[in-house]
Amino acid sequence: MKSPISSLQWLPLTFFPIISTYVLSTTTATTLFDIPRLSPLGGILQDPETVFSTNVSDDFETFYYNQTLDHFNYMPESYSTFQQRYVINSKYWDGANRSAPILAYLGAEAPLDGDLRVIGFLTDNAAEFKALLVYIEHRYYGESIPLGSSRKVALGNASTLGYFNSAQAIADYAEIIIYLKEKLQAQNSPVIVIGGSYGGMLASWFRLKYPQVAIGALASSAPILYFDDITPQDGYYSIVTKDFREASETCYQNIKNSWSIIDEVASKPNGLSVLSMTFKTCNPLNSVDVLKNYLVSMYARAAQYNSPPKYPVTIVCGGIDGAPPETDILDKVFAGVVAYTGNRTCYVNAPQNISETTVGWRWQTCTEMVIPIGISNNTMFQPSPFNLSSFIEECRSLYGVPSRPHWVTTYYGGHDIKLVLHKLGSNIIFSNGLRDPYSSGGVLVNISESIVAIHTVNGSHCLDILHANQSDPEWLVRQREVEVQIIKGWISQYYVDLLSLSVNN
């Protein structure tokens, strides 16, 4: 294996589009694909083509670790290995001799490439911390493919996908971090793990499962309480509704009233053709649900990634409210689509390539990441309750295995979290923006002196760990400053404890 801290050798980047897998059943219950993506990246206004066109600094070096396939069994096949990608930036590191810290970013449900371009918390603060930066790719994504590096084989069926879960992922991270500390003779360098969204969950769980490896964790927009009905099922779409209503009451009312009108038009002869023309669909609609799914997904993305300075919810509502007064509701809704996506030749059902992220996230949500998101009567959407039995059966039909909806809370906890973490955990920051629909499943109150919740009223999904900009509002600047000061405190205390132990020994 290549030794760390050497010349940069990038393999050619492969672009995998991030697409929504939302499919809404408007009459019965939510389906497998109703769980919106958990990712720091998302939304038309932060689209992947822009992300992947941005150059990555030459300060980043790519390496591969010979990773164990199965950390938890001793069968012969468990000892198989695969090449797991990780990336290092040592530009600002003060070195192992000074026990300088290591900031480790835990990759989530996507190739690592996009994170290297947009996750700025590590690089923005590397000089201040004098830290080594490490970014580790999640197994089964990007270039970190088990079972002969064949994505087709690895993602082929439940037998090969069975090694694809969060427990294996955080064990991967622990193994790589321990290896690097030994390789760099940095055993006394404190490690802080950082992640966003699903990666934020991983960061918090890593701190709980491997406290001997990382002294603290920053978990951004991590909805660790959106499992096992700890959080009300309609939490996500209630916040989507709240975001739109706060942006514009008339916009909210038009969206709320549009669903029945869409259904009414669709029920008439040639109604789908009328809707296809109204919304300039890329292909003729064969079901009204295709259009409604698109709109629900668009509103959800706009709310989840409702970040400054563009504020996508405001842009959508600007299109809807800005239509001429005589415009009917459907034309107003379409004006919101155009405002959000920009002028295109067609909308709604354009041909799309299924990305590895879509395939991987489908497996993850089918097995352990069962986030029961439903829609109630108290939103601007048509009701669509989450039906667990239907969800499990759909997963069984896809993979031949049932979901494990209670496993996350069994393995990591979640119920009575204040009592449990107060006794068992320390040094975790749960950061959230309250405009993020997933904040409904986040930790929003302090659990102890060192397990703290930092939230901003106007923040969106993972906003605090994205690159800082001069145009950032003061509340966002302050949120990041508070996070940095807390982490500094953890590191300072670690050095005090390290010195104390060395003196006593």
Side-chain angles (χ1 to χ4, degrees):
M1 176 185 154
K2 181 183 174 185
S3 173
I5 318 299
S6 62
S7 61
L8 173 68
Q9 293 183 357
W10 279 104
L11 293 179
L13 296 179
T14 304
F15 169 61
F16 295 94
I18 300 174
I19 64 174
S20 170
T21 59
Y22 191 98
V23 177
L24 180 66
S25 172
T26 58
T27 57
T28 55
T30 50
T31 68
L32 168 62
F33 310 109
D34 290 343
I35 301 176
R37 274 282 313 285
L38 277 162
S39 171
L41 308 178
I44 296 296
L45 300 176
Q46 187 185 16
D47 85 311
E49 293 189 23
T50 302
V51 169
F52 276 77
S53 66
T54 306
N55 291 328
V56 174
S57 167
D58 290 343
D59 298 324
F60 291 99
E61 302 179 80
T62 301
F63 306 94
Y64 297 88
Y65 178 74
N66 205 33
Q67 186 61 265
T68 304
L69 176 63
D70 182 2
H71 298 283
F72 304 107
N73 287 288
Y74 297 89
M75 299 178 295
E77 56 267 32
S78 297
Y79 291 86
S80 299
T81 60
F82 66 96
Q83 294 293 291
Q84 185 166 11
R85 178 168 56 155
Y86 66 97
V87 174
I88 286 178
N89 181 340
S90 59
K91 180 178 180 179
Y92 297 103
W93 194 38
D94 212 18
N97 291 338
R98 301 180 67 86
S99 299
I102 298 171
L103 303 182
Y105 179 78
L106 307 186
E109 79 283 19
L112 196 58
D113 310 289
D115 293 325
L116 295 174
R117 289 161 169 78
V118 303
I119 301 299
F121 187 89
L122 288 79
T123 50
D124 290 345
N125 295 293
E128 187 170 358
F129 282 110
K130 299 180 180 179
L132 177 71
L133 308 183
V134 181
Y135 303 75
I136 311 174
E137 190 165 63
H138 195 295
R139 59 168 55 201
Y140 284 83
Y141 291 110
E143 297 177 20
S144 302
I145 308 298
L147 303 165
S149 298
S150 168
R151 184 168 287 105
K152 183 177 180 181
V153 171
L155 302 177
N157 57 61
S159 296
T160 53
L161 284 165
Y163 305 103
F164 187 0
N165 59 65
S166 62
Q168 297 281 9
I170 62 175
D172 291 342
Y173 301 147
E175 194 165 309
I176 288 177
I177 292 169
I178 291 170
Y179 162 79
L180 281 174
K181 292 185 73 173
E182 292 176 351
K183 188 75 175 179
L184 300 172
Q185 298 182 335
Q187 286 87 349
N188 290 332
S189 291
V191 175
I192 305 294
V193 292
I194 298 162
S197 204
Y198 166 54
M201 294 186 193
L202 297 178
S204 66
W205 294 336
F206 188 96
R207 170 60 185 158
L208 295 174
K209 293 294 185 181
Y210 299 98
Q212 77 281 14
V213 179
I215 69 163
L218 169 57
S220 176
S221 297
I224 64 167
L225 302 182
Y226 221 138
F227 294 96
D228 218 1
D229 289 326
I230 298 171
T231 294
Q233 292 185 3
D234 67 353
Y236 185 96
Y237 284 99
S238 293
I239 292 183
V240 175
T241 300
K242 179 175 178 286
D243 289 349
F244 274 85
R245 192 164 197 174
E246 287 181 350
S248 166
E249 179 69 25
T250 56
C251 173
Y252 154 79
Q253 289 293 346
N254 279 318
I255 293 172
K256 185 176 183 180
N257 294 334
S258 68
W259 309 112
S260 59
I261 297 173
I262 290 172
D263 285 335
E264 181 182 355
V265 172
S267 68
K268 296 178 179 178
N270 298 319
L272 291 179
S273 296
V274 172
L275 291 173
S276 297
M277 289 186 290
T278 300
F279 286 89
K280 295 184 180 179
T281 61
C282 298
N283 294 287
L285 293 171
N286 56 19
S287 167
V288 68
D289 287 343
V290 173
L291 172 60
K292 292 194 289 188
N293 298 342
Y294 177 91
L295 293 173
V296 171
S297 180
M298 182 188 78
Y299 299 139
R301 284 198 310 272
Q304 187 166 322
Y305 302 99
N306 193 33
S307 59
K310 294 182 178 179
Y311 291 111
V313 169
T314 301
I315 287 177
V316 173
C317 284
I320 292 174
D321 292 343
E326 67 276 8
T327 306
D328 65 28
I329 284 184
L330 295 191
D331 285 330
K332 288 180 179 178
V333 168
F334 178 62
V337 172
V338 175
Y340 180 67
T341 62
N343 289 314
R344 300 186 175 191
T345 56
C346 64
Y347 304 84
V348 180
N349 54 0
Q352 293 176 316
N353 295 321
I354 302 300
S355 73
E356 65 174 274
T357 295
T358 297
V359 175
W361 187 237
R362 182 179 299 167
W363 165 261
Q364 290 190 268
T365 54
C366 234
T367 48
E368 65 171 347
M369 302 299 294
V370 182
I371 303 175
I373 294 179
I375 303 177
S376 70
N377 288 316
N378 300 318
T379 72
M380 65 181 188
F381 303 98
Q382 292 177 310
S384 183
F386 183 88
N387 186 304
L388 181 59
S389 59
S390 297
F391 187 96
I392 291 173
E393 285 309 308
E394 189 169 358
C395 289
R396 195 194 303 272
S397 69
L398 280 174
Y399 299 108
V401 295
S403 307
R404 295 183 180 177
H406 311 296
W407 179 243
V408 164
T409 56
T410 300
Y411 190 67
Y412 300 112
H415 295 285
D416 302 319
I417 190 171
K418 290 183 182 180
L419 176 63
V420 173
L421 289 190
H422 190 275
K423 291 181 176 293
L424 299 179
S426 64
N427 292 8
I428 303 174
I429 299 170
F430 290 103
S431 63
N432 282 279
L434 299 187
R435 284 185 174 175
D436 173 18
Y438 268 124
S439 68
S440 58
V443 176
L444 301 179
V445 295
N446 293 346
I447 291 175
S448 68
E449 289 186 1
S450 67
I451 301 182
V452 297
I454 300 174
H455 60 261
T456 54
V457 173
N458 295 318
S460 59
H461 200 62
C462 296
L463 185 58
D464 58 317
I465 63 170
L466 303 185
H467 277 293
N469 296 298
Q470 289 186 342
S471 61
D472 286 338
E474 178 58 33
W475 52 263
L476 177 56
V477 174
R478 178 58 181 159
Q479 180 184 21
R480 291 173 175 145
E481 289 175 346
V482 170
E483 292 167 1
V484 167
Q485 290 306 311
I486 291 172
I487 294 171
K488 281 183 176 180
W490 295 343
I491 294 173
S492 296
Q493 185 60 52
Y494 167 83
Y495 289 142
V496 170
D497 295 341
L498 186 65
L499 179 61
S500 176
L501 288 173
S502 64
V503 169
N504 291 334
N505 291 333

